[in-house]
Amino acid sequence: MKQKPMEEQDTQSEQYIEVWEDVVRIKDLVISLIICSITTLGGYLIAPNEPPKPLIFGLVGTVLGFIICSIIIKPKRTFEYIGEEE
Amino acid sequence: MDISLILELVTASVLGAVLYTLIGIAPGTDETAVLAPVTLVLVLTGFEPIVILAFFISAIVAKKLTDSIPVAVAGIPGGVMAAPMVDHAMVLKKHGLPEVSIRKMASGSVIGTLVAVPLSLLLASVIAPFGDEIKNYASQIFFGGAVFLALMAKNRWLALAAILPFAILIQGLRHLYWGIGIVPEGTTVFTSFFLGITIGPIILKLFELLNRDIRNKLPRYHKKEIKLQRSKKEKGFPNPFKILDAKEVGTTSFASLTGVLTFFMSPVGMTIFLGETFSNYIKDPVKRASRAISSMDGLTNATYIAGTLVPLIAIGLPLSPMAIGPAIALFKAPPVFTEDHNMHHLLSMNEFVIATVIGAIVAISITYFITIKYAQQICVFVFKYIPHEALLGVFFGLVLMLAYMDAGWLNIAGVLLIGIVAGTLHRWGVNYGVQFMVLYSAPWIMSWFM
C-alpha cells in the first residue's frame, strides 16, 4: 500500500508503456489479450469438429475480439493539426 | 481458366488490398508478424493455392504502398521496412511537403512492382532447372544461412553461439511431444513454433510486465502525440510517371532491378545501402530526400516480390529472408503445404503469372489510388479508432489458437517458452533470419549427435 501515492501520480501524468513501437496502457492490454484469446480460442473450440470449420470459427472470433476491443479501448494518441486549413 | 476462378482471384486480391491498406498504416507492424499468421490460416483453411497467392501478392503490394504513409505524415514507420526512410521523409516534412513524400514513395512502390513482377518471373525460370539440385542440400543451406546471417548480425558471436542452444530448444520440445504422445511421432510441429519466434519480443515484454520490479522501472510515456499537416486534395487518377521526374523513375527502376537480383539478401540492409548510394551525391536536400525515398520504396517492394516469387517458383524452398518470413506459409504450413508439396508443386507457371499479375494490378489500382487521394484521412482513421492494444490482442489470440491446433494445451506453454527465448535473443540482436533458419535446420543439426 505504501506505493499507492506514487502509482496514483503515475496514472495522472505518464501511465503508458511502449510495446511494439506504440504506447499502450497495461490494464487495457490485459483486457484486450483476454478478450481476443477467449473469442479466438473459444470460436475454435465450439466449432463442429470437421476441418476447416474450427479455423474459420476461430478467425471469426478473432475479428469479433478485434471489434470489441476497438470499441471498448481508446487509442492512446493525440492529434494536432499544424499548418494552414484548406 | 474460367471466369469464376478469375472472379475468385480478384475478390481475394481486393480483400488483401483493403485489409493490408489498413494494417500497413498501423504503426510498428512487423511484416512477418502481420502477414504470416493470416496467410497461414488461409492456407490451413483450405483455400485454393492460386487464390492464396493472389491474396498474398496483393497484400504485400498494398502493405508496402501504405506503410510509408505514417512515415510521411507523422514520422512513425508503419513497418520495419519503412524505418530506413524516416530520416528522408522528415526532411520533406520539415520543408512542409509530407504529401510529396507520400506521392513519391507510393509511386516508387508502383514502379518497383512493375519492374519486379516480370523480372522475378524471368529470374525464376532461369534458376528453375537447378531447383532440384538445390533442394537436396536444403538443410545444409538453411544451416549455412543461419551461420551467414549470424555473421552479418550486429552481435555476431552472440548470434553464432545461440544457434545450437536454440536448435536444442526446438527439437527438444518436438521430442517431448512425441515422447508423451500428444503429437504422433514423425509429425513435426512447425507452424506454432514459427509464430512463437515471430511474436517473441511481445511475449517477452508481456512476461516482464508480470515482474513488479521491471514493471515499475519501465519508462512511462504520455499519449503519443501526432502532428498532422493538412494536405491538399489530389485531382484525377494519379500517374506515377508524372509524380516522379525522369531521373527518379530511372533511379527507382534501377534500384528495383537490383532488388530483384539480390532477392536472397536482407531487404532492410539493401534498402539502406542502395538508397543512400543512389542519392548521396545530390546536394539539394529536398531533391536528395525525394530521390532516396522513391528509390528505397521501389527497392523494398521489388525485393519483397522477388523474394517471394523466385524461391517459390524456382525451388519450392523458402530461400530468401522474405520467403522465410512473411511468405513462409506459401512454402510450409503442415499438413496442407510441406517441403515436397507446396505452391511450387501445385501451380503451373501460367497460374503463377495470372495470380501474381491479378494480385499486383488489383492492389495497385485500389491502394495506389486510395493512398494518393486519401492518405491523410486513412491515417487519421487508424490513429483515432484502432487501439494498439486490439492489434496486439489479435496476434496473441491467433498464436494461441494455432498453438492449440498444433499440439493441444501443452503447446501453448511450449510456444510461450519459445517466445521468451526468441524474444530475448531478438533483443540481444539475433535477428529473425537467424532464428528462422535454425528452426528449419534444427532436425539436421541434432542429427550430428546421433
Side-chain angles (χ1 to χ4, degrees):
Chain A
M1 287 316 261
K2 255 190 208 162
Q3 283 181 329
K4 195 121 200 233
M6 252 247 331
E7 273 174 18
E8 260 171 16
Q9 204 184 358
D10 272 350
T11 49
Q12 274 164 16
S13 56
E14 302 187 333
Q15 49 173 331
Y16 306 120
I17 57 149
E18 190 169 36
V19 181
W20 222 20
E21 306 283 314
D22 204 351
V23 296
V24 297
R25 191 164 82 176
I26 297 178
K27 208 174 134 200
D28 289 343
L29 180 60
V30 173
I31 293 172
S32 163
L33 293 181
I34 293 174
I35 291 178
C36 291
S37 308
I38 292 176
T39 54
T40 308
L41 256 184
Y44 186 87
L45 292 173
I46 61 158
N49 195 13
E50 30 186 292
K53 277 189 185 150
L55 263 174
I56 295 177
F57 276 56
L59 262 193
V60 172
T62 311
V63 175
L64 215 67
F66 179 75
I67 294 172
I68 298 173
C69 292
S70 300
I71 293 169
I72 61 171
I73 298 170
K74 290 231 151 59
K76 278 80 193 162
R77 308 182 186 106
T78 57
F79 283 94
E80 196 188 327
Y81 279 103
I82 47 173
E84 296 152 40
E85 300 246 345
E86 282 294 311
Chain B
M1 183 86 12
D2 54 58
I3 298 288
S4 71
L5 184 59
I6 300 230
L7 272 179
E8 253 179 80
L9 293 181
V10 173
T11 316
S13 308
V14 170
L15 283 178
V18 171
L19 184 63
Y20 283 92
T21 298
L22 293 173
I23 293 182
I25 291 171
T29 45
D30 177 82
E31 283 75 5
T32 305
V34 296
L35 277 159
V38 176
T39 322
L40 198 64
V41 170
L42 292 179
V43 172
L44 297 178
T45 311
F47 284 99
E48 294 227 23
I50 187 169
V51 175
I52 294 169
L53 183 64
F55 172 89
F56 186 82
I57 295 291
S58 167
I60 50 173
V61 173
K63 168 102 178 61
K64 275 307 312 148
L65 270 166
T66 51
D67 72 358
S68 38
I69 296 179
V71 178
V73 178
I76 303 165
V80 180
M81 291 298 315
M85 291 171 232
V86 171
D87 288 345
H88 296 288
M90 291 321 278
V91 170
L92 293 177
K93 207 183 150 212
K94 207 174 74 195
H95 286 82
L97 302 164
E99 76 272 14
V100 173
S101 276
I102 295 175
R103 277 181 222 149
K104 299 258 179 193
M105 284 194 259
S107 307
S109 260
V110 171
I111 291 181
T113 309
L114 295 179
V115 170
V117 168
L119 271 181
S120 307
L121 296 171
L122 200 70
L123 184 61
S125 42
V126 172
I127 299 181
F130 310 103
D132 287 336
E133 195 67 25
I134 295 172
K135 214 179 234 170
N136 289 334
Y137 297 97
S139 295
Q140 288 88 330
I141 292 173
F142 285 123
F143 176 70
V147 172
F148 176 75
L149 289 175
L151 290 173
M152 303 297 286
K154 221 182 274 164
N155 292 308
R156 65 177 61 119
W157 302 116
L158 171 67
L160 217 48
I163 291 178
L164 190 57
F166 196 57
I168 292 177
L169 172 66
I170 289 162
Q171 264 329 73
L173 276 176
R174 284 173 180 162
H175 280 269
L176 171 73
Y177 294 170
W178 292 333
I180 60 174
I182 53 173
V183 172
E185 198 139 347
T187 306
T188 316
V189 177
F190 178 85
T191 313
S192 52
F193 288 1
F194 177 85
L195 291 174
I197 295 175
T198 312
I199 70 156
I202 300 171
I203 292 179
L204 180 64
K205 191 97 181 193
L206 293 176
F207 270 90
E208 280 181 347
L209 292 179
L210 296 175
N211 177 320
R212 177 181 288 190
D213 290 338
I214 295 182
R215 190 171 64 226
N216 290 341
K217 273 189 207 134
L218 277 179
R220 300 282 161 149
Y221 299 91
H222 288 292
K223 285 189 173 180
K224 200 154 207 151
E225 281 176 34
I226 294 165
K227 294 195 170 102
L228 291 175
Q229 198 132 23
R230 288 201 187 273
S231 59
K232 284 182 209 131
K233 272 250 157 68
E234 181 85 5
K235 289 193 183 72
F237 197 88
N239 176 351
F241 294 98
K242 275 192 192 140
I243 291 171
L244 296 178
D245 65 34
K247 277 185 187 156
E248 284 164 350
V249 172
T251 322
T252 306
S253 311
F254 187 66
S256 308
L257 170 78
T258 325
V260 172
L261 295 176
T262 55
F263 71 94
F264 49 87
M265 302 276 284
S266 152
V268 183
M270 289 307 294
T271 308
I272 297 174
F273 174 67
L274 285 175
E276 301 298 336
T277 313
F278 287 149
S279 60
N280 249 344
Y281 65 95
I282 304 170
K283 290 234 169 63
D284 177 4
V286 172
K287 277 193 184 141
R288 181 171 64 223
S290 51
R291 184 82 69 95
I293 54 172
S294 53
S295 53
M296 280 178 172
D297 224 299
L299 182 128
T300 52
N301 222 347
T303 351
Y304 264 45
I305 293 173
T308 307
L309 288 179
V310 176
L312 195 58
I313 298 174
I315 308 164
L317 284 177
L319 292 175
S320 76
M322 177 66 192
I324 206 159
I328 190 78
L330 311 183
F331 293 87
K332 187 161 181 173
V336 181
F337 289 163
T338 62
E339 272 107 2
D340 308 310
H341 179 81
N342 59 33
M343 270 191 198
H344 171 71
H345 314 87
L346 296 172
L347 296 183
S348 67
M349 189 67 182
N350 276 342
E351 290 173 316
F352 271 116
V353 174
I354 290 166
T356 306
V357 169
I358 290 183
I361 289 177
V362 167
I364 286 178
S365 32
I366 295 181
T367 312
Y368 183 62
F369 181 76
I370 297 179
T371 307
I372 303 277
K373 279 217 158 171
Y374 304 105
Q376 193 158 47
Q377 285 88 333
I378 302 174
C379 259
V380 170
F381 176 82
V382 171
F383 287 157
K384 234 184 195 159
Y385 297 108
I386 312 267
H388 193 52
E389 287 90 340
L391 283 175
L392 294 173
V394 162
F395 290 107
F396 190 74
L398 282 179
V399 170
L400 286 191
M401 177 173 79
L402 293 167
Y404 177 80
M405 198 176 80
D406 260 357
W409 294 109
L410 185 66
N411 192 38
I412 291 183
V415 169
L416 291 180
L417 171 63
I418 288 187
I420 295 172
V421 176
T424 310
L425 291 176
H426 192 262
R427 192 176 287 176
W428 287 345
V430 182
N431 57 40
Y432 281 142
V434 178
Q435 300 186 24
F436 291 147
M437 295 283 184
V438 174
L439 173 65
Y440 254 89
S441 52
W444 186 71
I445 297 175
M446 289 301 116
S447 72
W448 303 345
F449 302 93
M450 288 201 308

